Amino acid sequence: MKEINIDVLKDASLRLMFKMSDEEYNTLLQEFDILFKQMAMISKIKNVDNVMPMTFPFNINTNYLREDEVKDVISKEDVLKNAKEVKDGQIKLPKVVKQ
């Protein structure tokens, strides 16, 4: 596993395009240390590798979902005629992420 240090955190924040103070980097580094200690403790539990991981703490039945039914379809031309800007047969949207 790659060692987590201040340089790794700064590189990650740069790639994610947000800024952090040195104090925030130190806090985050401390939180990673706690997380790794907790993971080490969990890995010491007997037969933990034989347990199926949970993605959600409760069993939920989702068999009540309806089947997708195609109805009330409008043409592409009708959709595009209401768009403010159209480019190459698609609706042109404003840029969301600014640099």
Side-chain angles (χ1 to χ4, degrees):
M1 178 185 294
K2 186 175 186 177
E3 179 188 351
I4 304 295
N5 57 36
I6 297 289
D7 292 331
V8 171
L9 295 177
K10 286 184 177 183
D11 179 59
S13 69
L14 178 67
R15 292 172 187 262
L16 294 169
M17 297 180 3
F18 65 88
K19 296 178 183 177
M20 293 173 48
S21 68
D22 288 339
E23 181 181 339
E24 290 171 318
Y25 283 117
N26 290 324
T27 300
L28 186 57
L29 193 59
Q30 291 170 0
E31 290 179 8
F32 267 106
D33 186 47
I34 293 168
L35 178 66
F36 288 141
K37 287 178 182 176
Q38 291 171 337
M39 290 170 52
M41 288 175 58
I42 290 171
S43 68
K44 291 179 183 177
I45 298 173
K46 187 177 181 180
N47 296 322
V48 74
D49 292 331
N50 299 332
V51 178
M52 187 172 178
M54 294 174 57
T55 56
F56 192 73
F58 308 106
N59 289 331
I60 296 180
N61 293 332
T62 56
N63 57 356
Y64 57 86
L65 296 176
R66 62 170 173 74
E67 291 294 322
D68 288 337
E69 296 177 21
V70 178
K71 55 183 173 178
D72 300 328
V73 177
I74 61 175
S75 70
K76 183 177 178 179
E77 291 76 24
D78 285 339
V79 172
L80 294 178
K81 75 179 180 183
N82 293 316
K84 187 175 181 180
E85 287 188 68
V86 176
K87 181 179 180 182
D88 299 326
Q90 297 182 359
I91 298 172
K92 183 178 178 188
L93 299 174
K95 189 173 184 178
V96 177
V97 178
K98 294 182 181 181
Q99 294 182 359

